[in-house]
Amino acid sequence: MGLLTGKKALVVGIASKLSIATGIARALHQQGAELALTYQGDKLKKRVEDFGKEWNTELVFPCDVTDDQQIEDLFTRIGENWDGIDIIIHSVGFAPADQLDGNFVDVTTREGFAVAHDISSYSFIALAKGGRELMKGRNGSLLTLSYLGAEKTLPNYNVMGLAKASLEANVRYMANSLGPEGTRVNAISAGPIRTLAASGIKSFRKMLTETERRTPLRRNVTTEEVGNTAAFLTSDLASGITGEILYVDAGFNITAMGALEE
């Protein structure tokens, strides 16, 4: 019997086998949760459906998080199949590529700023609104994914850092708003992982190398490690935790200086 046996979980953000959302969905499944999955655009439909087969679910629905009607339709369809939702995983982040290459002030535009915040931050609220009725009375959990760029500057991360800072503030405000209903809200701040989304950041490979050099564990983290942490945070074992940002980054966030070369 797993930590999440009997729980029903919606996972938003799967794009490939490398996605953090994929690692989380796999961990939730291994711990006994029933899954519903979403995909954005027909290009990803079959890929996500194949993951659904692996995890014994046919509940695979389209959802563009910038479209309120699609979000409403998503939860309507889930409600037709389930009597409620215990877990919502929000693993969504995006900024136009031209915003992630160069000097922050030089490259950031009003449009790019708006897009990054809408998709990376507001969409978490939108999913909470959409799933609120299905989560009431279930002591459920909302979980999102952040990154250290929310707190500290990183080369080329630029406006995504601001969007992640907004997302982390969302976690606190949503936790306070939904807490009286029994719903917890948390985030995992994961170390850099080679995903499709990360590939849009200039010099990302160099970031991985530098992170590995500086972390106390002298390595980068995996989607499996993030997934296992997500399984814990969304389980009843974490029933007293809400409004928190939990680092899963091999300790990188605690360091002020990497190992000194001899």
Side-chain angles (χ1 to χ4, degrees):
M1 186 172 180
L3 292 177
L4 301 173
T5 298
K7 303 284 190 184
K8 295 177 170 61
L10 169 65
V11 181
V12 179
I14 292 175
S16 77
K17 65 181 182 181
L18 302 176
S19 297
I20 294 176
T22 305
I24 291 175
R26 181 172 288 114
L28 300 188
H29 171 69
Q30 290 171 346
Q31 291 299 326
E34 295 179 57
L35 300 182
L37 312 174
T38 73
Y39 61 89
Q40 181 177 352
D42 290 340
K43 181 179 179 181
L44 294 178
K45 180 179 181 181
K46 184 180 186 304
R47 185 180 302 173
V48 178
E49 286 178 340
D50 287 344
F51 282 122
K53 292 175 184 176
E54 178 183 341
W55 302 323
N56 302 320
T57 183
E58 296 181 352
L59 303 183
V60 179
F61 307 112
C63 184
D64 180 342
V65 295
T66 66
D67 187 330
D68 288 335
Q69 187 60 57
Q70 285 200 33
I71 292 174
E72 182 180 336
D73 292 344
L74 166 66
F75 287 104
T76 296
R77 295 181 68 181
I78 290 176
E80 292 169 353
N81 289 273
W82 288 347
D83 61 358
I85 299 175
D86 301 289
I87 299 164
I88 295 178
I89 304 295
H90 170 268
S91 183
V92 180
F94 176 80
D98 62 354
Q99 307 290 292
L100 305 176
D101 182 1
N103 180 279
F104 169 66
V105 173
D106 289 343
V107 303
T108 302
T109 64
R110 188 181 300 275
E111 180 182 7
F113 184 99
V115 168
H117 282 72
D118 182 22
I119 296 176
S120 308
S121 183
Y122 178 76
S123 63
F124 191 34
I125 304 171
L127 290 174
K129 285 176 175 285
R132 191 172 188 176
E133 289 302 317
L134 287 170
M135 295 191 77
K136 280 185 177 178
R138 300 178 71 94
N139 295 321
S141 175
L142 290 149
L143 182 69
T144 189
L145 277 297
S146 189
Y147 182 50
L148 186 61
E151 293 187 27
K152 304 180 188 300
T153 64
L154 294 162
N156 300 306
Y157 201 60
N158 294 347
V159 75
M160 276 301 297
L162 279 70
K164 290 297 188 182
S166 170
L167 180 65
E168 291 189 2
N170 263 349
V171 168
R172 293 183 284 272
Y173 277 89
M174 288 169 58
N176 188 59
S177 178
L178 298 175
E181 299 171 13
T183 299
R184 298 181 297 110
V185 186
N186 293 292
I188 292 173
S189 184
I193 297 174
R194 189 176 288 116
T195 63
L196 287 178
S199 66
I201 302 170
K202 185 180 179 182
S203 303
F204 183 74
R205 289 177 182 272
K206 292 181 180 179
M207 290 175 64
L208 286 171
T209 300
E210 178 63 13
T211 300
E212 182 176 345
R213 185 184 73 82
R214 280 185 50 180
T215 62
L217 294 181
R218 299 296 189 270
R219 64 175 178 82
N220 287 296
V221 296
T222 66
T223 57
E224 289 78 13
E225 289 173 317
V226 177
N228 289 336
T229 304
F232 161 71
L233 277 177
T234 56
S235 77
D236 292 339
L237 290 180
S239 60
I241 301 175
T242 194
E244 295 295 328
I245 315 297
L246 180 59
Y247 286 93
V248 182
D249 65 354
F252 182 86
N253 75 94
I254 70 169
T255 65
M257 186 180 296
L260 298 177
E261 299 291 340
E262 296 292 338

